[in-house]
Coordinates of all heavy atoms in Angstrom, one line a residue:
E63 N 9.3 13.0 10.4 CA 9.0 11.7 11.0 C 10.3 11.1 11.6 O 10.2 10.6 12.7 CB 8.5 10.8 9.9 CG 8.0 9.4 10.4 CD 7.5 8.6 9.3 OE1 7.6 9.0 8.1 OE2 6.9 7.5 9.6
D111 N 9.5 10.2 5.9 CA 10.8 9.7 5.6 C 11.0 9.6 4.0 O 12.1 9.7 3.5 CB 11.0 8.3 6.2 CG 11.1 8.4 7.7 OD1 11.4 9.5 8.2 OD2 11.0 7.3 8.3
L194 N 6.7 -9.7 4.0 CA 6.3 -9.9 2.6 C 5.7 -11.3 2.4 O 4.6 -11.4 1.8 CB 7.4 -9.6 1.7 CG 7.0 -9.7 0.2 CD1 6.0 -8.6 -0.2 CD2 8.2 -9.6 -0.7
T197 N 2.4 -11.9 4.0 CA 1.3 -11.1 3.3 C 0.9 -11.8 2.0 O -0.3 -11.8 1.6 CB 1.8 -9.7 3.1 OG1 1.9 -9.1 4.4 CG2 0.7 -8.9 2.3
G206 N -7.3 -15.7 -4.3 CA -7.1 -16.6 -5.4 C -6.0 -16.2 -6.3 O -5.1 -15.4 -5.9
R208 N -4.7 -14.2 -8.8 CA -4.8 -13.0 -9.6 C -3.4 -12.6 -10.1 O -2.4 -13.0 -9.6 CB -5.4 -11.9 -8.8 CG -6.8 -12.2 -8.3 CD -7.3 -10.9 -7.7 NE -8.6 -11.1 -7.0 CZ -9.3 -10.2 -6.5 NH1 -8.9 -8.9 -6.5 NH2 -10.5 -10.5 -5.9
L212 N 5.1 -7.0 -7.8 CA 5.9 -6.5 -6.6 C 6.9 -5.5 -7.1 O 7.7 -5.7 -8.0 CB 6.7 -7.7 -6.0 CG 5.9 -8.9 -5.5 CD1 6.8 -9.8 -4.8 CD2 4.8 -8.4 -4.5
T217 N 12.9 3.8 -7.9 CA 13.8 4.9 -8.2 C 15.3 4.7 -7.7 O 16.1 5.6 -7.9 CB 13.3 6.3 -7.6 OG1 13.6 6.4 -6.2 CG2 11.8 6.5 -7.9
K218 N 15.6 3.6 -7.0 CA 16.9 3.4 -6.5 C 17.7 2.5 -7.5 O 17.2 2.1 -8.5 CB 16.9 2.7 -5.2 CG 16.2 3.5 -4.1 CD 16.1 2.8 -2.8 CE 15.3 3.6 -1.7 NZ 15.2 2.9 -0.4
E221 N 16.2 -1.0 -8.4 CA 14.8 -0.9 -8.7 C 14.4 -2.2 -9.5 O 15.0 -2.6 -10.4 CB 14.4 0.3 -9.5 CG 13.0 0.4 -10.0 CD 12.8 1.6 -10.9 OE1 12.5 2.7 -10.3 OE2 13.0 1.5 -12.1
N234 N 8.1 -17.8 -5.6 CA 9.3 -17.1 -5.9 C 9.2 -15.6 -6.0 O 9.0 -15.0 -7.0 CB 9.9 -17.6 -7.3 CG 11.2 -17.1 -7.6 OD1 12.0 -16.6 -6.7 ND2 11.6 -17.0 -8.9
E241 N 11.7 -1.7 0.9 CA 10.3 -1.6 1.0 C 9.6 -2.0 -0.2 O 10.1 -1.7 -1.3 CB 9.9 -0.1 1.4 CG 10.5 0.4 2.7 CD 10.0 -0.4 3.9 OE1 8.8 -0.6 4.0 OE2 10.8 -0.8 4.7
V243 N 6.0 -2.2 -2.7 CA 4.6 -1.9 -3.1 C 4.1 -3.1 -3.8 O 4.7 -3.6 -4.7 CB 4.6 -0.6 -4.0 CG1 3.1 -0.3 -4.3 CG2 5.2 0.5 -3.3
E262 N -21.8 -23.4 -2.6 CA -22.6 -24.2 -3.4 C -22.2 -24.1 -4.9 O -22.2 -25.1 -5.7 CB -24.1 -23.9 -3.3 CG -24.7 -24.3 -1.9 CD -26.2 -24.1 -1.8 OE1 -26.7 -23.6 -2.8 OE2 -26.7 -24.3 -0.8
F267 N -19.7 -25.7 -10.0 CA -18.7 -25.4 -11.1 C -17.7 -26.4 -11.1 O -17.3 -26.9 -12.2 CB -18.1 -24.0 -10.8 CG -17.2 -23.5 -11.9 CD1 -17.7 -23.0 -13.1 CD2 -15.9 -23.6 -11.7 CE1 -16.9 -22.6 -14.1 CE2 -15.0 -23.2 -12.7 CZ -15.5 -22.6 -13.9
T285 N -11.4 -23.4 -10.6 CA -12.6 -22.9 -9.8 C -12.1 -21.7 -8.9 O -12.8 -20.7 -8.8 CB -13.1 -24.0 -8.9 OG1 -13.6 -25.1 -9.7 CG2 -14.3 -23.5 -8.1
N298 N -11.5 -27.5 0.5 CA -12.3 -27.9 1.7 C -13.8 -28.1 1.4 O -14.4 -29.0 1.9 CB -12.1 -26.8 2.8 CG -10.7 -26.8 3.4 OD1 -10.0 -27.8 3.3 ND2 -10.3 -25.7 3.9

Side-chain angles (χ1 to χ4, degrees):
E63 187 177 7
D111 288 346
L194 181 68
T197 296
R208 301 187 187 184
L212 300 184
T217 77
K218 299 179 184 178
E221 175 183 271
N234 184 23
E241 297 298 313
V243 180
E262 289 183 2
F267 184 79
T285 302
N298 289 338

